[in-house]
Amino acid sequence: MTTGSSSTSRPTAADGISTFKGRERALSANRLGTGGLLLSVLAATAPLMVVAGVMPTTFAVMGIVGQPLLFVVLGVVLVLFSVGYAEMSRHVHNAGAFYAYISRGLGGTAGAGAALVALVAYNALQVGIYGIFGYEVSGLFDTYADLRIAWWIPALAAALVVGALGWLKIDVNARVLGVLLVIEVALVVIFDIAAVADPAKEGLSLHAFNPDTLTGAGVGTALCFCIAAFLGFEQAPVYAEETSRPHILVPRVMFLAVGGVAVFFALSSWALTVAAGPSAIVGESQKQSAGLLFSLTDSRLGGTFTDVLHILFVTGMFAALLSFHNVVARYAFAMGREGLLPAAFGRTTGASGAPGTGSLLQTAVSVVTVIAFAIADDKPAGDPTEPVLHLFTWFGNIGALGVIVLMAAASASVVVFFARRGAVGAQAWRLATSAVAGVALLVIAGYTVKDFDVLVGAGPDSSLSWLLPGIIGLALVVGVAQGLLLRARRPEAYARIGLGNEAFQLEKAAEEAS
């Protein structure tokens, strides 16, 4: 037996380094099953925040009783969108979901533009929630501890806790999100049952599902309000690399999420109309705003239940903060891995396999934004004007617009992706649903831009009506410019856009072959 050569070589230090680099450029697999993935994406929908905040605001601002029917209509549109989007998830497993899909169908330049839009949009959605979170927590301290604190103190504290959780294993995060989500959903269901058992003087009226309630100029804008309630279901492909069977689990979770959200919100908004009365729901919403739900529960379920609901209202927002934080961190990870952000973002952290640098980036953006709004806030503690009407409303609508645009682009990408592969016949019905959904989403995006002054509570002549949606436009332009620059100067990096971990595997195979 000789020692100079062997058909089976032993691992070397270099092999160990290569293996370590391979791990840190890929998210930890097999962390999430169907339940964990479903809870992670549903937490972003913040059901209690929608029922207590979005629904009364839509009734009050738009004066449309048929909000439950709008949730049904949007549910149909988003199911049509999910058909092609879910099929795409079987072919592409990448934490940069939206931009990965768009780059595969519409090219790397479009993908680079979509990547920056996604990063800005999800950051905006996450950061905006800190405003209403801080205000509600300060209100709890004032009510139950007779202690008045500025909104930005609990907001900053939450940002640090969310940032710390973002460094943990995703399955740990899923358990935290799951507990918070299940409790708040249970409380909303209890309210729904109580409303049906004790309706207003008009009884169990189904008037809110009458198509005649959707007439008027405000329907398009009401769609913009309501579609924001669904945001979160589209995040399932972001976690594809961390599931055991992404080609099965991701589509399953997407359909469960969008279907469940549509039914849950349609029934809950109908329960509000039943409890207040269809003829009175608009007036009561204008009078009580976010206090409507708590007023209705207080008269039916008592003060203790309402107190618990107030607390769960806050924990539900915290769950949404953590869910969006995880998504932003993974988008940053995917962009770093593919050269759209510095390489440091494209590496995972320690044994948790979490995208630590992306998590730090999102935490830094949150802290800086909250501090900036705190400095600009000249209102006394307890006044909601600055954090709620500005931070929450401005950033929430910026993020919603960005995601709507991304969904419309992804729908177009699905059609092009399968058409280029000669699969039009085999995928005909999926391409048709994607085309219909894409057109519908473009219409909603158009209404969102047109009525942005209404969405953010600014006057029609306010510069905010074009400055705020212009942030998404600027992100798109800068991202496209980056894509063009990469194509001209670093074609090897440009070729990796949208490939995710596949690009690393190809590089590794090329190195081994050479």
Side-chain angles (χ1 to χ4, degrees), residues 163-176:
L165 289 172
W167 278 64
L168 300 179
K169 297 177 181 178
I170 187 60
D171 48 333
V172 175
N173 278 248
R175 285 192 287 271
V176 173

PDB file of all heavy atoms in Angstrom, residues 163-176:
ATOM      1  N   GLY A 163     -34.597  43.303  16.381  1.00  0.00           N
ATOM      2  CA  GLY A 163     -33.271  43.079  15.811  1.00  0.00           C
ATOM      3  C   GLY A 163     -32.566  41.886  16.438  1.00  0.00           C
ATOM      4  O   GLY A 163     -31.906  41.101  15.752  1.00  0.00           O
ATOM      5  N   ALA A 164     -32.709  41.729  17.763  1.00  0.00           N
ATOM      6  CA  ALA A 164     -32.092  40.587  18.451  1.00  0.00           C
ATOM      7  C   ALA A 164     -32.730  39.276  18.007  1.00  0.00           C
ATOM      8  O   ALA A 164     -32.032  38.278  17.754  1.00  0.00           O
ATOM      9  CB  ALA A 164     -32.221  40.757  19.963  1.00  0.00           C
ATOM     10  N   LEU A 165     -34.063  39.262  17.896  1.00  0.00           N
ATOM     11  CA  LEU A 165     -34.748  38.049  17.450  1.00  0.00           C
ATOM     12  C   LEU A 165     -34.384  37.691  16.012  1.00  0.00           C
ATOM     13  O   LEU A 165     -34.380  36.518  15.637  1.00  0.00           O
ATOM     14  CB  LEU A 165     -36.265  38.229  17.578  1.00  0.00           C
ATOM     15  CG  LEU A 165     -36.828  38.244  19.003  1.00  0.00           C
ATOM     16  CD1 LEU A 165     -38.297  38.627  18.985  1.00  0.00           C
ATOM     17  CD2 LEU A 165     -36.634  36.889  19.668  1.00  0.00           C
ATOM     18  N   GLY A 166     -34.077  38.709  15.212  1.00  0.00           N
ATOM     19  CA  GLY A 166     -33.713  38.461  13.819  1.00  0.00           C
ATOM     20  C   GLY A 166     -32.431  37.667  13.654  1.00  0.00           C
ATOM     21  O   GLY A 166     -32.167  37.114  12.589  1.00  0.00           O
ATOM     22  N   TRP A 167     -31.621  37.591  14.719  1.00  0.00           N
ATOM     23  CA  TRP A 167     -30.373  36.831  14.673  1.00  0.00           C
ATOM     24  C   TRP A 167     -30.577  35.370  15.064  1.00  0.00           C
ATOM     25  O   TRP A 167     -29.649  34.560  14.947  1.00  0.00           O
ATOM     26  CB  TRP A 167     -29.338  37.465  15.609  1.00  0.00           C
ATOM     27  CG  TRP A 167     -28.633  38.616  14.978  1.00  0.00           C
ATOM     28  CD1 TRP A 167     -29.183  39.793  14.584  1.00  0.00           C
ATOM     29  CD2 TRP A 167     -27.235  38.704  14.642  1.00  0.00           C
ATOM     30  NE1 TRP A 167     -28.229  40.622  14.037  1.00  0.00           N
ATOM     31  CE2 TRP A 167     -27.017  39.972  14.064  1.00  0.00           C
ATOM     32  CE3 TRP A 167     -26.152  37.845  14.797  1.00  0.00           C
ATOM     33  CZ2 TRP A 167     -25.766  40.391  13.624  1.00  0.00           C
ATOM     34  CZ3 TRP A 167     -24.910  38.269  14.362  1.00  0.00           C
ATOM     35  CH2 TRP A 167     -24.723  39.522  13.782  1.00  0.00           C
ATOM     36  N   LEU A 168     -31.776  35.036  15.548  1.00  0.00           N
ATOM     37  CA  LEU A 168     -32.032  33.667  15.984  1.00  0.00           C
ATOM     38  C   LEU A 168     -32.455  32.793  14.809  1.00  0.00           C
ATOM     39  O   LEU A 168     -32.729  33.273  13.710  1.00  0.00           O
ATOM     40  CB  LEU A 168     -33.135  33.666  17.045  1.00  0.00           C
ATOM     41  CG  LEU A 168     -32.857  34.460  18.326  1.00  0.00           C
ATOM     42  CD1 LEU A 168     -34.055  34.370  19.262  1.00  0.00           C
ATOM     43  CD2 LEU A 168     -31.595  33.968  19.009  1.00  0.00           C
ATOM     44  N   LYS A 169     -32.520  31.491  15.059  1.00  0.00           N
ATOM     45  CA  LYS A 169     -32.973  30.566  14.036  1.00  0.00           C
ATOM     46  C   LYS A 169     -34.401  30.902  13.632  1.00  0.00           C
ATOM     47  O   LYS A 169     -35.221  31.287  14.463  1.00  0.00           O
ATOM     48  CB  LYS A 169     -32.917  29.119  14.557  1.00  0.00           C
ATOM     49  CG  LYS A 169     -31.513  28.631  14.902  1.00  0.00           C
ATOM     50  CD  LYS A 169     -31.561  27.225  15.470  1.00  0.00           C
ATOM     51  CE  LYS A 169     -30.158  26.733  15.832  1.00  0.00           C
ATOM     52  NZ  LYS A 169     -30.174  25.379  16.425  1.00  0.00           N
ATOM     53  N   ILE A 170     -34.718  30.733  12.353  1.00  0.00           N
ATOM     54  CA  ILE A 170     -36.024  31.119  11.847  1.00  0.00           C
ATOM     55  C   ILE A 170     -37.133  30.299  12.496  1.00  0.00           C
ATOM     56  O   ILE A 170     -38.253  30.768  12.678  1.00  0.00           O
ATOM     57  CB  ILE A 170     -36.088  30.997  10.302  1.00  0.00           C
ATOM     58  CG1 ILE A 170     -37.405  31.567   9.769  1.00  0.00           C
ATOM     59  CG2 ILE A 170     -35.889  29.566   9.861  1.00  0.00           C
ATOM     60  CD1 ILE A 170     -37.621  33.020  10.079  1.00  0.00           C
ATOM     61  N   ASP A 171     -36.847  29.041  12.899  1.00  0.00           N
ATOM     62  CA  ASP A 171     -37.884  28.244  13.537  1.00  0.00           C
ATOM     63  C   ASP A 171     -38.230  28.798  14.921  1.00  0.00           C
ATOM     64  O   ASP A 171     -39.364  28.683  15.386  1.00  0.00           O
ATOM     65  CB  ASP A 171     -37.491  26.770  13.618  1.00  0.00           C
ATOM     66  CG  ASP A 171     -36.085  26.565  14.151  1.00  0.00           C
ATOM     67  OD1 ASP A 171     -35.250  27.459  13.979  1.00  0.00           O
ATOM     68  OD2 ASP A 171     -35.817  25.499  14.729  1.00  0.00           O
ATOM     69  N   VAL A 172     -37.253  29.417  15.599  1.00  0.00           N
ATOM     70  CA  VAL A 172     -37.530  30.080  16.875  1.00  0.00           C
ATOM     71  C   VAL A 172     -38.457  31.272  16.638  1.00  0.00           C
ATOM     72  O   VAL A 172     -39.438  31.484  17.362  1.00  0.00           O
ATOM     73  CB  VAL A 172     -36.231  30.534  17.555  1.00  0.00           C
ATOM     74  CG1 VAL A 172     -36.539  31.325  18.828  1.00  0.00           C
ATOM     75  CG2 VAL A 172     -35.347  29.332  17.873  1.00  0.00           C
ATOM     76  N   ASN A 173     -38.149  32.059  15.621  1.00  0.00           N
ATOM     77  CA  ASN A 173     -39.004  33.191  15.251  1.00  0.00           C
ATOM     78  C   ASN A 173     -40.415  32.724  14.926  1.00  0.00           C
ATOM     79  O   ASN A 173     -41.397  33.361  15.283  1.00  0.00           O
ATOM     80  CB  ASN A 173     -38.426  33.925  14.050  1.00  0.00           C
ATOM     81  CG  ASN A 173     -37.332  34.902  14.427  1.00  0.00           C
ATOM     82  OD1 ASN A 173     -37.508  36.092  14.316  1.00  0.00           O
ATOM     83  ND2 ASN A 173     -36.197  34.398  14.881  1.00  0.00           N
ATOM     84  N   ALA A 174     -40.515  31.607  14.206  1.00  0.00           N
ATOM     85  CA  ALA A 174     -41.830  31.099  13.812  1.00  0.00           C
ATOM     86  C   ALA A 174     -42.669  30.742  15.026  1.00  0.00           C
ATOM     87  O   ALA A 174     -43.890  30.969  15.041  1.00  0.00           O
ATOM     88  CB  ALA A 174     -41.667  29.873  12.909  1.00  0.00           C
ATOM     89  N   ARG A 175     -42.042  30.196  16.073  1.00  0.00           N
ATOM     90  CA  ARG A 175     -42.793  29.858  17.283  1.00  0.00           C
ATOM     91  C   ARG A 175     -43.300  31.119  17.988  1.00  0.00           C
ATOM     92  O   ARG A 175     -44.429  31.162  18.481  1.00  0.00           O
ATOM     93  CB  ARG A 175     -41.923  29.023  18.224  1.00  0.00           C
ATOM     94  CG  ARG A 175     -41.750  27.577  17.752  1.00  0.00           C
ATOM     95  CD  ARG A 175     -41.150  26.719  18.842  1.00  0.00           C
ATOM     96  NE  ARG A 175     -39.737  26.988  19.053  1.00  0.00           N
ATOM     97  CZ  ARG A 175     -38.754  26.379  18.403  1.00  0.00           C
ATOM     98  NH1 ARG A 175     -39.039  25.482  17.470  1.00  0.00           N
ATOM     99  NH2 ARG A 175     -37.491  26.669  18.649  1.00  0.00           N
ATOM    100  N   VAL A 176     -42.450  32.148  18.046  1.00  0.00           N
ATOM    101  CA  VAL A 176     -42.869  33.414  18.645  1.00  0.00           C
ATOM    102  C   VAL A 176     -44.052  34.003  17.869  1.00  0.00           C
ATOM    103  O   VAL A 176     -45.073  34.405  18.445  1.00  0.00           O
ATOM    104  CB  VAL A 176     -41.704  34.425  18.674  1.00  0.00           C
ATOM    105  CG1 VAL A 176     -42.194  35.797  19.139  1.00  0.00           C
ATOM    106  CG2 VAL A 176     -40.579  33.924  19.581  1.00  0.00           C
TER     107      VAL A 176
END
